[in-house]
Amino acid sequence: MAEAQSGTGQLQEQKKGLLIAVSTSVDKIISHFGAARNLVQKAQLGDSRLSPDVGYLVLTTLCPALHALVADGLKPFRKDLITGQRRSNPWSVVEASVKPGSSTRSFGTLYSQVSRLAPLSSSRSRFHAFILGLLNTKQLELWFSSLQEDAGLLSLLYLPTGFFSMARGGCPSLSTELLLLLQPLSVLTFHLDLLFEHHHHLPLGPPQAPAPPGSPPALQQTVQAMLHLGGRLAQSLRGASGETPPGPSAPSSPPKPGSWWEQLTQASRVYASGGTESFSLRRWGSRCHRTAAEEAQERSLPTEDSTPGRGLWLGRLFGVPGGLTETESGTLKSRRPSSWLPPTVSVLALVKRVAPPEIPCSPEEPEASAPSMLQTHRAVRALCDHTAAVPDQLSFQRGEVLHVITTVDEDWLRCERDGVEGLVPVGYTSLVL
């Protein structure tokens, strides 16, 4: 007998803990409205669009407390005509409380409205939206009162040790205290967005436990690949400047063959080095059906390690001085990739060049090839129509190619078109290379 009384006392203490959580959340909401000085300010503080704090308060304090209260003592499953049994949750209590034939039918409209909200995919988010709707219509206390009075619904969904079963049986004071705690909320004016939880991406349920320490395998593989790439860059810099490493260092482990980083490195190596070496990525299409001779020929091509100068492909990519480049005679010389065109050369300097670039030509036509190159490299294209204002100027139409004779100054060129010479403004033309 003493053990039964102690067990009942522990159950009552547990149910009082649920009521304390509800009381704490109600006090926080009432203190939120305490800053209002008139009814207009109270209405603004109750609007979740004007004052999002009220939405956060309700969803983070009141809704979890009521969810735990309704879920207390629920049977794990309940019978269903179609599936045989369904898992019980607080949203199933809402569904059963608004079904036709129950003692209360005034909540059917709100239930239908929440059910049609497609973004609310979980039962917890739907229950929270239902609580927000009850606050908007000032019917939260009425719904809990009608739920407490439905004896058939409670016996169908709840165990005898549940909050509502005990409140209807041996502890009626629990139900009275709950309604007294919710009564102040019926006086306040709420205008809460039913999709507030979805719009503000609030977490559902209790916070999850933090993940165990340790980086994922993909991150470890990326870090190892970056270290390996940095080692290769340092080696290329030392090789370009002729320096030797200060001391022995442990060789960095390259990424595993076939990994995504190795495939990305090999794929970029083809474009960065300008070579034709192959890599282990499978080529689909017609190249999948290669003969054995083609495969043997491809394996016999020199690789990056056996070809002189291929080891510095990454250094040449970033403009490291001392990179090796082949000339037309087959010798190797040092040149930056960015030294193809000096940065001080401008379009006007190209136009001012007097002598055309020397090109090998046959002895039979030395005079014919030089004018042709002069015309090719010293020509401009008209960007717009221009009508000569004075006799010394040249008229032209947009898109016409004008042959440059000489440069007068920074603003004017002397050009020729169809045997007619004249001055042409530089800003109206573009150089044709």
Side-chain angles (χ1 to χ4, degrees), residues 13 17 43 91 98 104 112 140 164 166 214 245 267 275 280 286 289 295 303 308 339 357 365 372 381 383 387:
E13 291 297 328
W91 179 246
V98 298
T104 56
S112 302
L140 182 61
F164 291 105
M166 293 183 62
S280 58
S286 59
H289 308 285
E295 293 180 356
T303 60
S339 64
E365 301 177 356
S372 61
R381 187 183 304 277
L383 299 177
T387 303

Side-chain angles (χ1 to χ4, degrees), residues 382-400:
L383 299 177
C384 59
D385 299 341
H386 174 67
T387 303
V390 294
D392 198 18
Q393 295 183 6
L394 181 64
S395 300
F396 52 84
Q397 301 294 326
R398 177 183 178 182
E400 291 184 350

Side-chain angles (χ1 to χ4, degrees), residues 105-308:
R105 302 179 182 179
S106 59
F107 310 106
T109 303
L110 178 59
Y111 166 76
S112 302
Q113 182 181 358
V114 173
S115 301
R116 288 194 299 266
L117 297 177
L120 303 180
S121 56
S122 64
S123 60
R124 178 182 288 270
S125 61
R126 291 173 184 168
F127 179 80
H128 290 177
F130 185 76
I131 296 299
L132 297 182
L134 292 177
L135 290 174
N136 291 339
T137 56
K138 300 183 179 182
Q139 292 182 332
L140 182 61
E141 179 188 359
L142 179 61
W143 182 74
F144 277 97
S145 176
S146 62
L147 182 64
Q148 183 64 43
E149 294 174 359
D150 195 344
L153 178 63
L154 297 180
S155 61
L156 178 65
L157 297 178
Y158 286 93
L159 298 172
T161 56
F163 178 87
F164 291 105
S165 299
M166 293 183 62
R168 186 171 179 81
C171 299
S173 60
L174 296 177
S175 175
T176 304
E177 187 173 356
L178 174 63
L179 297 179
L180 289 177
L181 290 175
L182 298 178
Q183 189 174 9
L185 299 179
S186 301
V187 183
L188 301 176
T189 301
F190 291 94
H191 187 68
L192 305 173
D193 182 14
L194 300 184
L195 292 176
F196 185 87
E197 186 173 12
H198 171 72
H199 291 158
H200 294 266
H201 304 286
L202 295 179
L204 295 177
Q208 299 180 356
S215 56
L219 180 58
Q220 296 178 359
Q221 183 181 5
T222 304
V223 172
Q224 292 178 1
M226 292 299 295
L227 293 176
H228 175 65
L229 200 60
R232 294 186 59 183
L233 178 58
Q235 292 177 3
S236 63
L237 292 176
R238 295 192 194 102
S241 59
E243 299 177 358
T244 58
S249 59
S252 58
S253 58
K256 299 179 180 180
S259 63
W260 65 270
W261 183 267
E262 178 66 18
Q263 293 179 0
L264 178 61
T265 305
Q266 292 179 357
S268 61
R269 187 180 307 158
V270 175
Y271 299 99
S273 61
T276 58
E277 54 271 336
S278 59
F279 48 93
S280 58
L281 293 178
R282 176 172 295 182
R283 293 173 171 83
W284 302 99
S286 59
R287 295 184 61 88
C288 292
H289 308 285
R290 296 181 294 180
T291 61
E294 292 178 352
E295 293 180 356
Q297 182 181 1
E298 183 176 350
R299 286 195 297 269
S300 64
L301 291 176
T303 60
E304 179 184 351
D305 298 334
S306 61
T307 305

